[in-house]
Amino acid sequence: MLFFQLTWESFRFAISALKSNLTRTILSLLGVTVGIFAIIAVFTLVDSLEGKIKSSFAFLGTNVIRVDRFPFANGPQNYPWWKYFRRPPATLAEYKFIAPRLKNAEGVTISASSNATIQAGSNAFEGMSLTGVEYTYQDVFEVALEEGRYFSESEINASRNLAILGKKIANSLYPNQPALGKEVKIKGMKFTVIGIFEEEGEGFLDLPSKDQACLIPYGAFNKMYYTGRNGLEPTIAAKGLETDIGLVALENEITGLLRAKRGLKPSQEDNFSLNKTEFIQNAIGSIFDVISVAGWVIGGFSILVGGFGIANIMFVSVRERTNIIGIQKSLGAKNYFILFQFLFEAVCLSLIGGIAGILLVYILSFIPLGSLELILSVNNVILGLGVSSIIGVVAGIVPATLAARMDPVEAIRTT
């Protein structure tokens, strides 16, 4: 109990010392404030930007492998680029061959897309992303509907002229009235609207958004567009099981089945690419890791200056209170009491600066930046407070130790 009582007294002494020299305190914490602000602001911007970009790639799905002609990443070195163009596109027959044989897939689907213009009466929407899908599309990709329903399996098999519209399209074609159940025209063909996607909001980096998308059955899509070689290229996509080796096992399965379907000999190389959506997320993460390091460097210099400022003030404070230290020690004050007294002062000074920096970032998060929303996460708040505490300890430990080791007689004689 005595230890905790003395610790509390040390803390009170530290607060009193900061209050008695308010101007010096404010000037001292500015360096830490700027440093913490720089680091947390960069991290908040990086986290918000990274989250926004990754969410913009949500249309690719998560834990998904796509069968394409071209790889997302760079292919083998010195690989002739023209060989990619000679590769055959995926086909509906390959999908029907692969789908029932995959054991490590949560879902398998095929889809094809094109830009189109959709009409309803005198209203039209240009640049719509039109996608023909199979019933299993919802097993691989998220289909969040605000109104209506998804296609039934019989409707897909019968190639019914039904459509699911994005919110922006629905509002453009049928302003101030429900679009559900109404008719729309795509390339002269009539479609009945059976569902409306949940609104995603303004897109980022001009990437596809469900607000400007339209889903129709794959058979209905084939009535309007030619798919396959010399036409629109369909994409086979499979979602792996949530296991440690799920995606690896799925990749091996698809490779074996597709090679068998295409009749490739063991000596022949693959004439397809299996692209994992995680590659894009990892690439984005790597870029922002570099930006985060830059944030540490920028903020680190400011914090370093702030740390030196706190250390300088603490040395001055020790010199000013040498007499008091001598009196305290002569009355029986332990070394750790003196040590904590000055250490708490340095930490409090640094923490106040850190909190001020975090508050500035919080205020900054309310400034509108278009479609980008800045979010100050709890992790970044904890990081800012943690860095502030460490700077306070590092800056205050040396002057606090010198104060604790003073000889009481010599300290009292000092003027």
Side-chain angles (χ1 to χ4, degrees):
M1 289 298 296
L2 181 61
F3 173 79
F4 288 112
Q5 185 178 356
L6 291 175
T7 302
W8 172 246
E9 288 297 325
S10 299
F11 181 76
R12 289 179 57 194
F13 267 111
I15 296 299
S16 298
L18 293 177
K19 287 182 178 178
S20 62
N21 297 282
L22 196 57
T23 304
R24 187 173 70 185
T25 299
I26 294 172
L27 293 174
S28 301
L29 60 82
L30 282 178
V32 177
T33 299
V34 172
I36 295 298
F37 171 78
I39 290 178
I40 303 305
V42 169
F43 282 1
T44 299
L45 181 61
V46 166
D47 290 346
S48 302
L49 192 59
E50 183 177 2
K52 187 65 177 180
I53 292 177
K54 285 184 176 179
S55 66
S56 298
F57 282 98
F59 68 94
L60 293 174
T62 56
N63 205 33
V64 172
I65 294 180
R66 297 162 51 97
V67 179
D68 296 308
R69 286 199 298 163
F70 300 91
F72 285 166
N74 294 328
Q77 289 186 349
N78 301 321
Y79 188 83
W81 59 269
W82 48 266
K83 283 191 176 183
Y84 290 127
F85 289 92
R86 293 179 56 184
R87 290 177 170 182
T91 65
L92 184 61
E94 289 173 346
Y95 159 70
K96 292 181 177 179
F97 176 80
I98 290 174
R101 291 173 171 81
L102 288 178
K103 298 178 181 179
N104 291 284
E106 192 174 309
V108 189
T109 192
I110 187 172
S111 60
S113 299
S114 176
N115 289 332
T117 299
I118 186 170
Q119 296 176 311
S122 59
N123 296 325
F125 188 93
E126 298 181 353
M128 173 188 69
S129 177
L130 179 66
T131 304
V133 301
E134 285 289 328
Y135 179 72
T136 52
Y137 183 84
Q138 61 181 341
D139 298 331
V140 179
F141 302 101
E142 183 181 0
V143 182
L145 300 180
E146 183 178 301
E147 302 177 62
R149 61 178 178 84
Y150 188 68
F151 311 105
S152 68
E153 193 168 4
S154 60
E155 289 169 342
I156 292 285
N157 293 336
S159 302
R160 297 277 303 278
N161 286 6
L162 304 173
I164 298 175
L165 300 183
K167 190 71 175 177
K168 189 173 182 180
I169 299 173
N171 291 338
S172 298
L173 298 181
Y174 292 98
N176 304 319
Q177 58 178 309
L180 201 64
K182 302 290 179 61
E183 283 192 346
V184 294
K185 276 188 178 181
I186 306 172
K187 293 183 72 69
M189 294 178 62
K190 292 183 179 180
F191 287 80
T192 302
V193 180
I194 64 168
I196 307 293
F197 284 115
E198 285 184 358
E199 189 172 7
E200 289 187 351
E202 189 176 350
F204 197 65
L205 300 179
D206 294 326
L207 292 171
S209 167
K210 283 289 193 296
D211 293 344
Q212 304 176 54
C214 174
L215 299 186
I216 61 175
Y218 192 80
F221 185 88
N222 279 333
K223 293 176 185 177
M224 297 183 287
Y225 297 95
Y226 176 73
T227 58
R229 189 179 290 273
N230 301 323
L232 295 176
E233 297 182 11
T235 298
I236 297 174
K239 186 171 186 177
L241 298 174
E242 296 294 335
T243 61
D244 293 338
I245 61 169
L247 213 57
V248 176
L250 178 60
E251 184 177 10
N252 292 334
E253 267 193 311
I254 295 176
T255 300
L257 290 171
L258 204 53
R259 285 182 64 87
K261 178 62 178 175
R262 294 188 175 184
L264 297 177
K265 297 177 181 178
S267 59
Q268 291 180 295
E269 63 186 14
D270 294 338
N271 59 357
F272 54 87
S273 294
L274 298 184
N275 292 316
K276 300 177 185 177
T277 54
E278 280 71 12
F279 168 78
I280 294 178
Q281 294 181 345
N282 293 337
I284 294 171
S286 299
I287 293 171
F288 284 106
D289 285 343
V290 175
I291 299 175
S292 297
V293 172
W296 273 111
V297 172
I298 294 169
F301 282 110
S302 299
I303 285 184
L304 190 63
V305 172
F308 283 133
I310 291 175
N312 182 53
I313 293 301
M314 292 312 300
F315 279 116
V316 172
S317 183
V318 169
R319 180 176 293 276
E320 288 177 348
R321 287 149 58 189
T322 300
N323 249 191
I324 297 174
I325 294 170
I327 294 171
Q328 288 176 334
K329 296 194 77 172
S330 65
L331 293 175
K334 302 293 184 182
N335 285 352
Y336 68 81
F337 177 80
I338 306 297
L339 177 74
F340 284 174
Q341 182 180 323
F342 288 94
L343 197 58
F344 285 158
E345 185 175 339
V347 171
C348 286
L349 192 62
S350 186
L351 271 176
I352 293 170
I355 292 170
I358 292 171
L359 284 175
L360 288 175
V361 176
Y362 180 69
I363 294 170
L364 184 67
S365 66
F366 289 100
I367 299 176
L369 297 173
S371 62
L372 179 62
E373 181 183 2
L374 291 181
I375 299 174
L376 178 60
S377 66
V378 176
N379 288 340
N380 283 337
V381 172
I382 295 173
L383 176 65
L385 295 177
V387 171
S388 301
S389 301
I390 293 171
I391 291 299
V393 172
V394 172
I397 191 65
V398 175
T401 302
L402 292 176
R405 291 181 177 179
M406 280 185 181
D407 181 85
V409 177
E410 294 296 328
I412 291 174
R413 289 177 177 173
T414 303
T415 58

